[in-house]
Amino acid sequence: MELKKRVRTYSGTKENAPGELELRNRKIARRAAAEGIVLLKNEGVLPLKKGAKAALFGGGAVGTIKGGTGSGDVNARETVSIYQGFVDAGIPLTNRDWLEEYAEIYRQAREDWKEEILSEAARRGKGKFFEVYSSHIFRMPAGSALKQADVEGADVVFYVLSRTAGEDADRFLEPGDYYLTEEEKAELAFLDAACENLAVILNTGGVIDLQDILGLTHLKGLVHISQPGMEGGNALADVLTGKVTPGGKLTGTWAKDYGDIPNAENYSHNNGDVQKEYYTEGIYVGYRYFDSFRKETAYPFGFGLSYTSFSIRTEEVCPEEKGGAYVTVTVKNTGDTWAGREVVQVYLSCPQDGLEKEYRRLCGFAKTKLLEPGEGEQLRIPIPSKNMASFSEEKSAWIVEKGQYGVWVGNSCADLKISGVLEVEEDTVIEAVKHILPLQEPLKELSCPKDLRLLMERAWKEEAKARGILPITCVPVKETAGSYPVTEAEKMAEELTAKLSEEQLTAMVIGEISKGQGQALGSAGIMVPGAAGETSSGLEEAYGVPGVPMADGPAGLRLMKSYEVDRATGRINSHGIFGALEGGIFADQTVHENTDTYYQYATAFPVGTLLAQTWDTGLVEEVGWAAAAEMEAFGVSWWLAPGMNIHRNPLCGRNFEYFSEDPLLSGSMAAAITKGVQSCNGVGTTIKHFACNNQEDNRMGCDSIVSERALREIYLRGFEIAVKTAQPMAIMTSYNLINGVHTANSKDLCTVAAREEWNFQGIIMTDWTTTMPRGGSSAWGCIAAGNDLIMPGCEGDKESILKALAEGTLDREELKACVKRMLRVIFQTNAYEASVPYEAGR
């Protein structure tokens, strides 16, 4: 089969007005945001009655934060603020003067912040801009003093509390971040005294302390909108007015106090040591800890209210013919006014006689369609055998141990009913594997006292018996990775690889370095300005293999809003990283003569956490499909998304990018968005960051010290689910080390786990500058590990690989294997007019 290279022109369009694709995708972004909003508290104030007046305060009302900073940002055309959303929805406001005054305060604060960063970056010297930017998070300025006159006549007073964070810096236990500032406390206290109905909107990418908020006397409503993308203001208005009934559920536990979180005091910079991060909590992450140790929470995992009510009736818990089990439930809208959707969550309590296990784990979920009052729907939720299994380090295997498994059904971790009991008659090895990434030093992990575990086990068994629930025999089956036929692309890749010299082979595993991509961080794209980078074009002239562009994510494509092209020379002026961040506010905005301007407005979808809060894999798949349409429109082949690291601690600077504290939910969402993207031929996802990227401070040098069981059950499980379910085109390794080995240099991760165990069919790439001095990884070590592509690439990478080949420390066959995988996937991208279908992703 002969492939024809795609003829590339300048990406984007000269037309500045919104096109059909942009308008359509904004509708999807708005719907996704509304579906993911979580109603945490409502004492009769929501939805707003028709004609009800509102007062609106807080910096986020005007400066609504659509998403986090860094590579997760999206340079959209605009962001609809909460203020604008209220106005467009026709909600009468009593304090528009305050809001308009704050808009000017906010504008000036942003300008001052910009100048401070540029000045500090200039003082520190060349190459320090991103370091300065990431360490200077923008904080909302204070507004003018609140007045009683602003709230008079308001039926409900809303206060928007906003926080942002981003890559390369973790959050802090300080006012303005995890805690409220004194100004915020004072404003809330004033409003609490000035009105009868106060509602707080949490515009925060991650968890914050709620103690001061929940202590307010007149708090009647609490809504978590996370960071809802460019249509956030409209989406919130849809929910507050009842146009959309809230149906989102939390994907993480909100602790009453930060100190309640296991290992909280030692996380990241809290103990003054960012060199090593000890995962002493083991498998007890998030709700697994709070549930097992009987700790109260502010709001539990899976929680979310609605404007209506639902009944959930378990019809049957049955074994599957092919192993595992399933639960059939009937959900009914028992309200009389509002249509709504409900999320059914299924958890398992595993036997405690053998391996120590958490009290309950999520093992399945489903979301209903929109149910009218009185309407019902039956759902069938599978429980695969692997979801019943635990990892035995002693036997190096996933095992479903003999004993009884309690099946719980409900709509949050804290609202469950024992609904079935599965009986496994003998220990069953689901999957035998090789040991990976062994500990290099002792690690004492948290253990739940056996007496407590057995006491809780006896309690649920007695409850099941009292309800007349009899054990049902369940026979687990072995886990197998999918098998894939040899494709046309693979044959072509093998033939071409055999023809290449060592120089050519080496060029193909390094990002494009011939056009100055070199040291750029996250905005190195040449073909698509503002894109993260592209693969080598070293084989283009001889064999017609072009470079492949890739763009950051995961809340949309991060490209330049616009760029100039000189009419005489065709030269592109894209402003580099200055134009890629914060909508290009750091770049020189001068419009030059004799140039054409091209526009690349990408849709800013809700952040990963909010997408997961929909618990709707079909909707998330639709978001993936929408992103794929923009990839095709702009000529991007790989989307560096989704991010799917675990919410291990609320202070992680990038939690907003990630889905959940639960690996099943994370893996399911990553699989859904991958299916959506890869349903469009020629484009693919890059699931990241592989793995244990749960700390941003010293992210390139931090060593995650973690047991193999916790690694497999918590931190790799989501990646495994995504690979086996959807086969993304690519995986990106993380910056950190795991048990002393940089992930980019880890054969255990890249080859043993991903390829040998999960049968991963795509490519594995590094994160940017991993092989440069600060990164700590060796270039030849990446190739030896099975990490196929080093990004963004530099001359030192080339030298490292060629030297290792000459010295025999790198086998030529290892290099050829990487190149073959690279070519196989490139042949299946939109770099060609009619690419070979990516069969592994179907």
Side-chain angles (χ1 to χ4, degrees), residues 435-447:
H435 282 297
I436 58 172
L437 291 164
L439 286 164
Q440 302 300 306
E441 57 183 285
L443 178 68
K444 183 173 176 57
E445 289 184 310
L446 180 65
S447 177

Side-chain angles (χ1 to χ4, degrees), residues 136-253:
H136 286 65
I137 294 294
F138 178 76
R139 299 281 176 87
M140 286 290 177
S144 59
L146 308 188
K147 302 181 184 69
Q148 183 69 39
D150 289 326
V151 301
E152 286 179 0
D155 297 291
V156 183
V157 175
F158 292 92
Y159 187 87
V160 184
L161 195 69
S162 297
R163 296 287 187 272
T164 192
E167 64 176 315
D168 205 28
D170 286 316
R171 297 174 57 203
F172 285 85
L173 292 171
E174 60 182 32
D177 196 341
Y178 191 76
Y179 296 113
L180 302 189
T181 64
E182 291 304 314
E183 289 166 340
E184 289 168 338
K185 290 179 186 178
E187 288 177 337
L188 283 167
F190 172 84
L191 296 175
D192 194 31
C195 72
E196 291 295 320
N197 297 316
L198 176 61
V200 174
I201 309 298
L202 301 174
N203 175 211
T204 63
V207 173
I208 65 168
D209 183 75
L210 296 178
Q211 293 179 81
D212 291 308
I213 296 171
L214 295 178
L216 296 168
T217 303
H218 296 112
L219 182 73
K220 301 295 178 62
L222 185 62
V223 184
H224 179 48
I225 68 169
S226 185
Q227 292 169 340
M230 66 186 297
E231 285 287 334
N234 287 331
L236 177 61
D238 289 343
V239 170
L240 297 182
T241 59
K243 184 177 179 181
V244 174
T245 298
K249 305 283 185 178
L250 294 178
T251 64
T253 304

